[in-house]
Amino acid sequence: MKHFFLLSLIITFLFSNTCDAQDYTQNEQIDTDFFIPIEKTNLYTRVVGNPDKPIIITLHGGPGAFNVDHEFYRNVFEKDYLMVYFDQRGSGKSDEFRDKTMLTTDQFVKDLDKVVDFIKNKYPNKKINMIGSSWGGMYGFLYLIKHQEKINSFISNSGSANIRHNSLALIKHEKQLAKKLIKQTNDTAKINRFNEVLKKLDVIEKSGFKSFYADMETIRFKFPKELGFDVYWAQPEKKAKIDALLKDPDFYTRNKYTPELLEKVMAKFEYINEVFHGQEAYNNLNVLNELAAIKTPILVIQGDLDYAIGIESGKMIYKALKNVPKKDKELVYIKNASHNLPAEEPEQLYKSLTTFFKKHN
């Protein structure tokens, strides 16, 4: 099962080692790290950027991954903002945490509120913005529903507001592909195989994802290869960037990691992720109706071929944000891109992110 998690982590969260923006001098920058004490544990936090500018708190994916967002935001935001990168409960460099009763979305929202208050007190009189990627998008929405008064603006980058929809949308897409391929061939063996795929997809769909990890391995990795697409990549040739990044010693230096530490945090990722996906409440989490409570400026951005969250996710979220004024909400689909926007279409991504935050800061 570690193979599944390793693939998921690498292709979903360790995006790219380059940005289109030029390097800048860091005479006025700060780069400090510390631990934020929260209930029964401590969260590793790194703060990098301009101490005189507004704050952006980044929410990494998972649940259970770790924050290396400095890698691809360093030349994009750190000159004009004070960036806060933290590892969520039990993840990354934060304290190891095994108490399953506190590995819940409710607890994570409480944790984030402690982080926001801590940062607000440490760096007072500054606007606090947030950006969440993948699971971090859902995490941000969960927080805004309860504490939006503390946040100036939010970006959901390849995020979701309906976890169950992610897998159901993927199954729907794979059924369509299998049926199309059946019509395009006279090969009996291939027809039989695609019919087997259709039957298995029916079984998984009706099972309620009770065998979550086996089901995800099947619909996110195994079947896509047979059906001729990649769940996470619209431009799979750019995966080479990830391979190069993980072999680059400078990557580890910039992010204060070592290959050995990366292996250790991978084990923590597996545990946290498995705990969350072992919860029926998490696998069926849907906050679309609750988004109507939000009035905070929001940018929703995703790739138009992002089958990891379902290509309709962005539209569903935008529509559900009924009480965010039109002037304060944006929906951006980036063409020919999937779940790895910084690697596939960095120029378009960074332009949208920087324009939105500049508008609201």
Side-chain angles (χ1 to χ4, degrees):
M1 197 53 62
K2 185 174 182 178
H3 177 68
F4 166 74
F5 283 116
L6 184 59
L7 277 173
S8 297
L9 178 69
I10 290 175
I11 64 179
T12 308
F13 309 118
L14 301 185
F15 298 98
S16 171
N17 68 331
T18 59
C19 301
D20 284 354
Q22 296 296 311
D23 285 327
Y24 51 82
T25 58
Q26 299 195 19
N27 294 336
E28 299 179 356
Q29 307 298 304
I30 64 171
D31 185 347
T32 183
D33 53 359
F34 47 83
F35 285 87
I36 297 177
I38 60 171
E39 191 174 359
K40 296 185 178 181
T41 192
N42 300 282
L43 303 186
Y44 173 80
T45 305
R46 183 179 180 185
V47 178
V48 191
N50 192 325
D52 297 323
K53 298 294 185 176
I55 292 167
I56 299 176
I57 298 176
T58 68
L59 308 177
H60 64 69
F66 48 91
N67 207 323
V68 290
D69 287 345
H70 166 69
E71 181 63 23
F72 52 95
Y73 290 152
R74 59 195 171 92
N75 292 338
V76 179
F77 286 134
E78 290 176 8
K79 181 180 179 181
D80 299 313
Y81 298 91
L82 187 61
M83 302 298 295
V84 177
Y85 310 111
F86 81 98
D87 291 328
Q88 297 159 26
R89 181 179 288 260
S91 303
K93 297 179 185 176
S94 293
D95 292 351
E96 185 171 11
F97 195 83
R98 294 270 169 171
D99 183 353
K100 294 182 180 180
T101 65
M102 297 183 72
L103 294 174
T104 65
T105 55
D106 286 343
Q107 183 61 52
F108 269 46
V109 170
K110 293 178 184 178
D111 293 351
L112 181 52
D113 198 37
K114 294 290 186 181
V115 171
V116 170
D117 287 346
F118 185 96
I119 294 299
K120 185 176 182 180
N121 290 331
K122 189 173 181 66
Y123 305 99
N125 305 315
K126 298 183 186 302
K127 293 180 179 179
I128 297 181
N129 308 273
M130 290 197 309
I131 179 170
S133 300
S134 196
W135 144 251
M138 170 66 87
Y139 193 8
F141 287 130
L142 288 167
Y143 185 77
L144 288 175
I145 288 168
K146 291 190 175 183
H147 302 289
Q148 63 177 310
E149 72 281 357
K150 298 183 180 183
I151 303 301
N152 179 62
S153 67
F154 175 61
I155 295 176
S156 170
N157 174 24
S158 305
S160 171
N162 183 346
I163 297 237
R164 183 174 176 81
H165 167 265
N166 299 353
S167 296
L168 292 177
L170 179 56
I171 287 174
K172 180 181 178 181
H173 177 64
E174 291 181 350
K175 284 183 174 181
Q176 291 173 341
L177 286 178
K179 291 175 181 177
K180 181 179 179 180
L181 290 169
I182 287 173
K183 292 180 179 179
Q184 292 178 345
T185 183
N186 293 320
D187 188 320
T188 302
K190 289 183 179 179
I191 292 173
N192 290 339
R193 177 53 188 159
F194 293 139
N195 278 319
E196 289 175 0
V197 168
L198 287 169
K199 289 179 181 179
K200 181 62 176 177
L201 289 171
D202 278 334
V203 171
I204 293 174
E205 183 175 15
K206 294 173 182 177
S207 72
F209 307 104
K210 292 180 180 179
S211 301
F212 183 83
Y213 293 100
D215 292 343
M216 292 305 103
E217 179 73 24
T218 299
I219 68 174
R220 293 183 178 268
F221 298 102
K222 181 180 179 181
F223 284 174
K225 288 182 180 179
E226 297 186 61
L227 297 172
F229 79 109
D230 192 305
V231 172
Y232 298 94
W233 293 86
Q235 303 174 50
E237 69 276 7
K238 294 186 177 179
K239 288 182 183 180
K241 289 185 177 182
I242 305 302
D243 296 332
L245 182 63
L246 294 176
K247 296 176 182 177
D248 182 2
D250 289 340
F251 163 78
Y252 294 97
T253 300
R254 287 191 298 268
N255 292 282
K256 300 185 179 182
Y257 265 92
T258 64
E260 294 75 21
L261 179 57
L262 187 63
E263 282 294 315
K264 290 181 179 179
V265 301
M266 278 301 305
K268 295 167 75 172
F269 169 52
E270 291 186 28
Y271 179 77
I272 300 296
N273 197 267
E274 185 171 357
V275 170
F276 269 88
H277 284 294
Q279 303 169 15
E280 185 176 349
Y282 178 80
N283 290 331
N284 292 283
L285 185 59
N286 179 1
V287 299
L288 281 172
N289 290 337
E290 298 175 67
L291 297 186
I294 297 174
K295 298 180 181 179
T296 303
I298 290 180
L299 166 64
V300 180
I301 187 166
Q302 74 168 84
D304 67 339
L305 299 174
D306 189 346
Y307 295 109
I309 59 173
I311 60 176
E312 295 296 319
S313 283
K315 295 176 183 177
M316 291 164 59
I317 292 169
Y318 184 83
K319 183 178 180 181
L321 293 166
K322 299 177 181 179
N323 289 309
V324 178
K326 286 189 176 182
K327 66 181 180 64
D328 291 334
K329 69 175 180 177
E330 299 177 33
L331 173 63
V332 175
Y333 273 88
I334 295 182
K335 293 183 178 180
N336 194 30
S338 184
H339 206 59
N340 292 283
L341 294 177
E344 293 190 315
E345 294 295 339
E347 184 175 350
Q348 294 182 59
L349 172 65
Y350 296 135
K351 181 179 179 180
S352 294
L353 302 187
T354 54
T355 300
F356 176 80
F357 277 144
K358 184 177 180 180
K359 175 181 178 181
H360 295 286
N361 286 275

